[in-house]
Amino acid sequence: MTARTHDDETAANPRAAWMGTLAKARPAELEDRWARLCSDLTEIPDWQRLRGPETGMVMVRGRAGGDGSPFNLGEMTVTRCTVRLKDGAVGHAYVAGRDGRHAELAAAVDALMQNRQRAEAAMTAVVRPLAEAQATRRDLAARQANATKVEFFTLVRGED
């Protein structure tokens, strides 16, 4: 059995990839990217809220060692939102925390991604730059963690 990579998952389900990127985005970055997208479009997208933003709790599950028996790790606050654009496209979003604006913008971008004419503009102006910023932060965190890595070794004593 081979391990799946992020690129494999992105190819298999691109919507899950962009929704994950939007959900993990920093709210200020998403707001900035949204403003850039709106300045590039001829018509600023307008939407109607179908649901939310609503804040609630979800149970987070974990697995011991990553492959052990599942257990309830604890609860986490999430905010969800569903919007419909004037052209009928519907977008959904779930984000960690209580930021309703973050959830609403993420849902609006998801709705834009449903429209072939607007999808490339939304991908170029919003999703790709956010994904690149997230990858840069992950790489920096990994380098910082590796810089503090300590190698342990054990000396064998001659006693029985």
Side-chain angles (χ1 to χ4, degrees):
M1 183 171 158
T2 60
R4 290 180 56 131
T5 66
H6 177 70
D7 291 336
D8 293 337
E9 291 174 13
T10 300
N13 192 348
R15 187 173 188 195
W18 80 61
M19 290 182 81
T21 298
L22 294 169
K24 295 172 195 165
R26 292 180 175 170
E29 287 179 340
L30 180 57
E31 193 78 51
D32 179 56
R33 287 282 146 200
W34 177 257
R36 290 181 190 205
L37 174 64
C38 289
S39 69
D40 292 345
L41 295 175
T42 55
E43 180 185 340
I44 296 175
D46 191 22
W47 62 82
Q48 171 190 7
R49 291 180 185 168
L50 297 179
R51 177 189 315 165
E54 301 170 332
T55 300
M57 304 290 282
V58 295
M59 180 60 67
V60 178
R61 302 208 14 115
R63 290 182 178 270
D67 60 356
S69 297
F71 64 94
N72 292 339
L73 183 63
E75 291 182 333
M76 177 179 149
T77 305
V78 296
T79 302
R80 70 180 179 180
C81 189
T82 301
V83 300
R84 180 177 41 224
L85 298 179
K86 287 188 177 191
D87 66 3
V90 176
H92 308 277
Y94 282 79
V95 300
R98 300 177 171 272
D99 193 335
R101 177 72 175 161
H102 181 185
E104 191 169 0
L105 284 179
V109 174
D110 179 50
L112 286 174
M113 295 294 289
Q114 307 305 311
N115 180 314
R116 290 181 188 246
Q117 290 80 22
R118 293 181 173 176
E120 188 55 39
M123 182 64 81
T124 301
V126 180
V127 179
R128 280 191 194 116
L130 291 175
E132 289 168 5
Q134 290 168 15
T136 300
R137 284 193 293 273
R138 275 192 309 273
D139 291 345
L140 177 61
R143 283 196 307 274
Q144 288 174 337
N146 284 336
T148 63
K149 186 176 178 181
V150 177
E151 296 289 337
F152 291 96
F153 62 92
T154 304
L155 294 176
V156 177
R157 295 178 62 168
E159 300 172 4
D160 286 335

